[in-house]
Amino acid sequence: MDVFLTSYREEILQTLITIVILVIVRFIFHKAAKKVGELSDFNTARTTLIIKYINVSLSIMLAAILSLIWGVNFNDLGLILSSVFAVIGVALFAQWSILSNITAGVILFFSFPYKIGDRIKILNKDFPTEGIIEDIKAFHMHLRTDEGELITYPNNLFLQIGVTKIEKDSQDDAIDSI
């Protein structure tokens, strides 16, 4: 055991420093995501989903950094990574809409001006929709129409088309005029 510790003292020290730094970064990112969720009054499930994305990303970074610290041969690593990325590339090309919806879900978490309970109108000329946001998930959003229909709308479409928030005052005025 002493031989191992003396032989790999530098690698062990670099590994410990890397883990400590990534734990601190993870803590900062978690606090930031929770703060954004609180300030924007997001559902806790949405915040939890973003935190899972952060954990996966940091775990991949940790594995890559540790493989470099412990001296993985770059030729072998290049062969492995090219093979893995080729398979992932084919899989992601086949599932492009899923990837774009996940990415849109993350973007919507940080920049979407609407929240659960807001009444919105989707400005789509082929399929205009109006309803109340019931839930925002990783891939799609649930809208409840006045007729009681539950409409599932993909997240990536919210980044491509116009969406209008219908204020409660204008709803009340429309009801009063009838």
Side-chain angles (χ1 to χ4, degrees):
M1 183 69 170
D2 290 335
V3 174
F4 177 78
L5 291 176
T6 55
S7 300
Y8 295 105
R9 183 180 62 195
E10 189 172 323
E11 287 87 354
I12 292 171
L13 182 62
Q14 290 174 351
T15 300
L16 291 175
I17 291 171
T18 302
I19 291 172
V20 167
I21 289 172
L22 281 177
V23 166
I24 292 169
V25 168
R26 180 181 174 271
F27 176 76
I28 292 169
F29 282 0
H30 281 214
K31 286 288 250 191
K34 287 180 182 181
K35 192 69 167 178
V36 167
E38 287 174 10
L39 291 175
S40 301
D41 197 26
F42 289 145
N43 187 351
T44 55
R46 259 179 97 185
T47 306
T48 305
L49 183 66
I50 295 300
I51 289 173
K52 285 182 184 178
Y53 290 157
I54 291 169
N55 287 340
V56 168
S57 299
L58 290 176
S59 297
I60 291 170
M61 283 179 52
L62 178 65
I65 293 170
L66 289 180
S67 66
L68 293 174
I69 288 173
W70 286 92
V72 174
N73 187 353
F74 285 110
N75 293 334
D76 295 340
L77 184 63
L79 178 64
I80 291 170
L81 289 179
S82 65
S83 301
V84 168
F85 284 130
V87 171
I88 289 174
V90 170
L92 291 180
F93 181 74
Q95 298 298 325
W96 185 255
S97 64
I98 291 174
L99 180 64
S100 67
N101 280 320
I102 290 173
T103 305
V106 172
I107 292 169
L108 291 176
F109 176 78
F110 289 106
S111 66
F112 197 53
Y114 315 111
K115 59 186 176 196
I116 295 173
D118 285 348
R119 183 172 199 67
I120 62 169
K121 182 176 183 179
I122 299 171
L123 306 173
N124 186 346
K125 70 177 185 173
D126 297 329
F127 187 64
T129 306
E130 184 175 320
I132 297 173
I133 299 175
E134 240 181 42
D135 198 4
I136 303 171
K137 300 199 176 277
F139 300 105
H140 55 272
M141 187 174 300
H142 290 165
L143 295 176
R144 182 72 63 180
T145 64
D146 293 336
E147 294 80 28
E149 292 178 306
L150 179 65
I151 297 176
T152 303
Y153 216 81
N155 284 339
N156 63 350
L157 292 182
F158 276 97
L159 297 176
Q160 298 173 10
I161 60 173
V163 178
T164 303
K165 182 177 178 181
I166 300 173
E167 298 295 330
K168 292 184 181 184
D169 295 339
S170 63
Q171 293 173 17
D172 295 339
D173 292 343
I175 293 171
D176 290 341
S177 66
I178 297 175

